Amino acid sequence: MSQYEFIAPCHFGLESVLKKEVMDLGYEIKQVEDGKVIFTGDETAFARANIFLRTTERILLKVGKFKAESFDELFEKTKALPWENYIPKDGKFWVAKATSIKSKVFSPSDIQSIMKKAIVERLKLVYKMDWFPEDGEQYPIRVTFMKDEITIGIDTSGESLHKRGYRKMASKAPITETLAAALIMLTPWKEDRILVDPFCGSGTIPIEAAMLGANIAPGMNRSFLAENWKLAPKKVWYQAIEEANDVRKKDVPMSIQGYDIDGDIIKAARQNAALAEVDSYIHFQQRPLSELSHSKKYGFIITNPPYGERLEDREALPALYKEIGNVYAKLDSWSMFLITSYEDAVKYIGRKEDKNRKIYNGMLKTYFYQFMGPRPPKKSISLSNEENE
């Protein structure tokens, strides 16, 4: 079976989470760079990586990597790559996205047009064709220049993998599904512990937690570009879906709650949870932060409170984060994890964080503050078990 190299991009700061996910799927890590994990896998990886990985934005099939300091060099080295191994005679191919950072070759539109011409010239020679119909499957190419070194990959996913298919309605500043999943996976939360999101918006954090708890593969209910590629035969997709169904847990007892002051957005959260098939695990309620209380111990708050990106909203942030601190102080033995770009968050929460991780949400620098409560006591072994030993 052929081996391929894949590139899995992610939010800056979340590479370790994605690396563990890839390793848990059984694929070998080749390299970890800022904002991406590169791994090797056979043809099953086309399907399994797209269907099972929660924290990557897309899966790219790596075609090549080389240094180019001029457009002539870019053309010749692109032309030298074995494009015929990836793109068939009728394939529709184009450079969908080009980014350039600290490189001599920096114009995205020029990079796109020059690389397209180079690929056409290569395929003309190999296929002995002067014209390509491009009426077959799609092969969008994504390239990144970093310090004159270009990495080239073909997108196997299509729409970004954060689009699970369940979020039909979103709040004003939604957190992406991939980021929400990664944040939960950075905490010690497990499905037998209480989880509350007091700023749940359209329900992304509670829904991703429920999917994790029930081991529901995030890509089960959507399609991918590579489904009809000859490189990734239909059988690998059927096998991956069958695997996803086999590992899914049924009727997991979970206590996940999502609150928001906006009644309409709570209705949307319920609809989204139903589409994700996790509505039975989550209790959504219109409720202000001030009313958050819980009688049970050792629960978790995992949340994405308002950042105050607009000037008029920023004025309300000191009071909001002070209230978060007051509410959390009353929750005996709980842990709290929150992501925010507000740099004075800890000052107003009134407690020093135990951990702080910088994560880039797009171009926005955010902080994932972690306030750790005590671990729950281990469940004692029953007397009958002790007698049996």
Side-chain angles (χ1 to χ4, degrees):
M1 202 177 275
S2 299
Q3 287 288 311
Y4 301 95
E5 234 176 284
F6 296 92
I7 304 164
C10 64
H11 288 276
F12 284 84
L14 298 178
E15 297 85 0
S16 61
V17 185
L18 177 54
K19 178 186 174 183
K20 184 178 185 305
E21 274 203 285
V22 173
M23 290 171 68
D24 287 347
L25 273 185
Y27 299 117
E28 186 184 343
I29 302 294
K30 194 84 186 263
Q31 203 171 349
V32 177
E33 299 176 6
D34 286 344
K36 65 171 76 108
V37 173
I38 299 159
F39 65 97
T40 55
D42 56 22
E43 62 186 22
T44 67
F46 285 92
R48 294 181 74 237
N50 272 299
I51 289 168
F52 284 100
L53 293 179
R54 299 177 190 277
T55 62
T56 183
E57 297 305 307
R58 61 185 67 248
I59 301 297
L60 304 176
L61 172 61
K62 187 177 173 184
V63 177
K65 185 175 185 177
F66 56 78
K67 192 166 186 176
E69 297 184 350
S70 68
F71 285 117
D72 285 341
E73 196 176 3
L74 174 63
F75 181 90
E76 294 301 333
K77 288 185 176 179
T78 300
K79 187 181 170 185
L81 292 171
W83 291 99
E84 65 278 6
N85 292 350
Y86 310 103
I87 301 171
K89 292 177 182 179
D90 65 347
K92 179 179 171 60
F93 59 96
W94 71 104
V95 181
K97 188 169 183 184
T99 56
S100 180
I101 302 162
K102 297 178 182 174
S103 300
K104 295 178 185 69
V105 176
F106 60 84
S107 164
S109 59
D110 288 335
I111 292 167
Q112 288 168 301
S113 62
I114 284 164
M115 288 186 71
K116 169 80 178 192
K117 285 174 189 170
I119 299 165
V120 168
E121 289 306 310
R122 168 79 183 201
L123 295 181
K124 273 183 180 179
L125 290 169
V126 175
Y127 290 138
K128 307 283 192 284
M129 294 168 68
D130 290 328
W131 178 81
F132 295 94
E134 296 201 50
D135 56 2
E137 294 305 317
Q138 297 182 22
Y139 297 82
I141 298 155
R142 290 179 164 249
V143 301
T144 306
F145 260 105
M146 173 64 78
K147 294 180 181 175
D148 298 322
E149 194 165 62
I150 182 170
T151 305
I152 304 167
I154 304 175
D155 183 10
T156 73
S157 305
E159 274 200 307
S160 174
L161 293 180
H162 79 263
K163 296 187 176 178
R164 317 283 206 219
Y166 67 73
R167 195 161 75 179
K168 300 301 178 188
M169 295 184 68
S171 50
K172 282 179 187 174
I175 188 170
T176 65
E177 294 87 330
T178 45
L179 179 54
L183 297 182
I184 298 160
M185 291 162 80
L186 280 169
T187 78
W189 179 81
K190 292 287 181 280
E191 63 272 16
D192 60 348
R193 305 277 291 275
I194 298 158
L195 189 157
V196 176
D197 180 358
F199 302 96
C200 74
S202 51
T204 309
I205 289 176
I207 290 169
E208 289 295 322
M211 289 176 72
L212 263 166
N215 209 23
I216 297 171
M220 278 184 76
N221 297 314
R222 55 160 286 170
S223 58
F224 307 93
L225 270 187
E227 279 179 35
N228 296 310
W229 293 5
K230 287 179 183 171
L231 293 172
K234 280 285 185 189
K235 68 174 183 181
V236 302
W237 299 92
Y238 293 136
Q239 286 166 354
I241 290 294
E242 195 176 323
E243 181 187 354
N245 281 316
D246 288 344
V247 299
R248 180 174 177 169
K249 299 175 190 172
K250 298 284 197 295
D251 303 319
V252 188
M254 281 190 268
S255 179
I256 299 173
Q257 291 146 40
Y259 305 135
D260 203 279
I261 55 171
D262 186 331
D264 289 334
I265 209 68
I266 285 293
K267 286 178 190 170
R270 290 190 185 117
Q271 289 170 13
N272 292 341
L275 284 168
E277 300 176 7
V278 294
D279 48 320
S280 61
Y281 301 123
I282 309 170
H283 172 67
F284 286 110
Q285 190 178 348
Q286 182 179 2
R287 184 191 281 197
L289 173 67
S290 58
E291 291 179 18
L292 173 56
S293 62
H294 212 290
S295 58
K296 291 189 178 176
K297 293 185 174 187
Y298 308 111
F300 283 74
I301 293 173
I302 305 177
T303 193
N304 173 40
Y307 295 178
E309 288 311 300
R310 294 183 306 177
L311 189 61
E312 60 269 32
D313 295 335
R314 284 192 83 79
E315 293 169 4
L317 290 184
L320 174 67
Y321 281 84
K322 193 170 184 182
E323 189 172 21
I324 290 171
N326 291 339
V327 166
Y328 176 52
K330 294 173 188 172
L331 289 166
D332 186 23
S333 307
W334 279 49
S335 299
M336 180 168 70
F337 301 81
L338 61 86
I339 185 169
T340 181
S341 65
Y342 183 46
E343 297 194 354
D344 288 332
V346 169
K347 173 183 168 185
Y348 291 105
I349 287 170
R351 173 180 161 175
K352 177 85 174 109
E353 78 277 10
D354 295 295
K355 284 185 183 176
N356 172 20
R357 180 184 285 253
K358 284 189 188 123
I359 297 167
Y360 280 84
N361 187 0
M363 296 304 290
L364 184 66
K365 183 165 75 170
T366 62
Y367 305 90
F368 188 45
Y369 292 112
Q370 304 171 50
F371 303 88
M372 304 298 294
R375 289 182 179 180
K378 289 185 178 177
K379 291 172 184 171
S380 58
I381 301 169
S382 67
L383 185 61
S384 58
N385 283 345
E386 287 175 1
E387 288 171 351
N388 290 334
E389 286 179 353

